[in-house]
Amino acid sequence: MRHTPGPWRLGADSGRIVAGPRGLHIANVVTTGMGTAAGANFSLIAAAPDLLAALDQLLSVTVDKDLKEGWTLSDDARIARDQAIAAIAKATQGV
Protein backbone atom coordinates (compact mmCIF):
# COMPACT_ATOMS: atom_id res chain seq x y z
CA MET A 1 0.00 0.00 0.00
CA ARG A 2 1.25 3.48 -0.86
CA HIS A 3 1.32 6.31 1.65
CA THR A 4 -1.46 8.88 1.90
CA PRO A 5 -0.88 11.32 -0.96
CA GLY A 6 0.47 14.75 -0.10
CA PRO A 7 0.61 17.51 0.45
CA TRP A 8 0.90 16.95 4.16
CA ARG A 9 0.75 19.90 6.51
CA LEU A 10 0.59 20.74 10.17
CA GLY A 11 -2.94 20.74 11.48
CA ALA A 12 -4.62 23.53 13.39
CA ASP A 13 -4.61 21.27 16.45
CA SER A 14 -1.27 20.92 18.18
CA GLY A 15 0.45 17.64 17.40
CA ARG A 16 -1.49 16.69 14.27
CA ILE A 17 -0.29 16.06 10.74
CA VAL A 18 -3.02 16.26 8.12
CA ALA A 19 -3.10 15.53 4.39
CA GLY A 20 -4.92 16.80 1.37
CA PRO A 21 -7.62 19.38 0.89
CA ARG A 22 -10.09 17.50 3.10
CA GLY A 23 -7.70 17.64 6.06
CA LEU A 24 -7.48 13.88 6.60
CA HIS A 25 -5.78 13.27 9.97
CA ILE A 26 -2.85 10.92 9.39
CA ALA A 27 -0.56 11.26 12.40
CA ASN A 28 -0.11 12.57 15.92
CA VAL A 29 3.30 13.83 16.95
CA VAL A 30 4.16 13.76 20.64
CA THR A 31 5.95 16.95 21.57
CA THR A 32 6.24 16.63 25.34
CA GLY A 33 9.82 17.28 26.36
CA MET A 34 10.93 17.94 22.78
CA GLY A 35 11.59 21.66 23.16
CA THR A 36 12.53 23.38 19.92
CA ALA A 37 12.98 20.05 18.10
CA ALA A 38 9.19 19.61 17.99
CA GLY A 39 8.75 22.19 15.22
CA ALA A 40 11.57 20.68 13.20
CA ASN A 41 10.07 17.19 13.60
CA PHE A 42 6.66 18.43 12.45
CA SER A 43 8.20 20.08 9.39
CA LEU A 44 10.20 16.99 8.45
CA ILE A 45 7.20 14.68 8.75
CA ALA A 46 4.97 17.06 6.78
CA ALA A 47 7.59 17.25 4.01
CA ALA A 48 7.99 13.44 3.76
CA PRO A 49 5.84 12.87 0.63
CA ASP A 50 7.57 15.73 -1.20
CA LEU A 51 11.03 14.49 -0.17
CA LEU A 52 10.24 10.95 -1.31
CA ALA A 53 8.95 12.12 -4.69
CA ALA A 54 11.94 14.43 -5.21
CA LEU A 55 14.46 11.73 -4.29
CA ASP A 56 12.76 9.21 -6.57
CA GLN A 57 12.74 11.70 -9.46
CA LEU A 58 16.36 12.73 -8.87
CA LEU A 59 17.45 9.12 -8.82
CA SER A 60 15.59 8.26 -12.00
CA VAL A 61 16.88 11.19 -14.09
CA THR A 62 20.45 11.55 -12.86
CA VAL A 63 22.24 9.07 -10.66
CA ASP A 64 20.55 6.03 -12.19
CA LYS A 65 22.30 6.73 -15.51
CA ASP A 66 25.07 4.23 -14.78
CA LEU A 67 22.58 1.39 -14.53
CA LYS A 68 20.45 2.41 -17.51
CA GLU A 69 22.98 3.95 -19.89
CA GLY A 70 26.35 2.70 -18.72
CA TRP A 71 27.68 5.98 -17.34
CA THR A 72 30.62 5.76 -14.96
CA LEU A 73 29.85 7.18 -11.52
CA SER A 74 32.36 8.36 -8.97
CA ASP A 75 32.59 6.44 -5.73
CA ASP A 76 30.76 9.29 -3.95
CA ALA A 77 27.95 9.25 -6.53
CA ARG A 78 27.63 5.48 -6.23
CA ILE A 79 27.42 5.76 -2.42
CA ALA A 80 24.79 8.52 -2.76
CA ARG A 81 22.79 6.37 -5.20
CA ASP A 82 22.88 3.41 -2.81
CA GLN A 83 21.78 5.65 0.08
CA ALA A 84 18.91 6.99 -2.03
CA ILE A 85 17.79 3.49 -2.97
CA ALA A 86 17.93 2.43 0.70
CA ALA A 87 15.99 5.52 1.85
CA ILE A 88 13.27 4.93 -0.74
CA ALA A 89 13.03 1.27 0.27
CA LYS A 90 12.79 2.25 3.94
CA ALA A 91 10.07 4.82 3.22
CA THR A 92 8.04 2.50 1.00
CA GLN A 93 8.80 -0.75 2.85
CA GLY A 94 9.41 -2.45 -0.46
CA VAL A 95 6.11 -1.30 -2.00
Side-chain angles (χ1 to χ4, degrees):
M1 177 190 297
R2 297 282 300 167
H3 63 80
T4 303
W8 292 2
R9 61 183 169 73
L10 306 181
D13 299 334
S14 178
R16 297 185 86 174
I17 303 288
V18 296
R22 295 185 329 211
L24 177 65
H25 174 217
I26 59 170
N28 290 324
V29 179
V30 177
T31 59
T32 305
M34 294 296 296
T36 58
N41 292 342
F42 273 120
S43 296
L44 180 60
I45 293 167
D50 299 326
L51 292 168
L52 179 59
L55 185 58
D56 193 39
Q57 179 68 11
L58 181 66
L59 186 64
S60 69
V61 299
T62 59
V63 182
D64 220 14
K65 294 291 186 181
D66 71 320
L67 299 174
K68 293 179 181 174
E69 298 178 20
W71 289 16
T72 301
L73 296 179
S74 68
D75 289 341
D76 288 342
R78 216 173 353 273
I79 290 168
R81 182 202 56 221
D82 293 345
Q83 289 173 333
I85 291 168
I88 291 169
K90 183 177 181 180
T92 60
Q93 297 181 14
V95 174

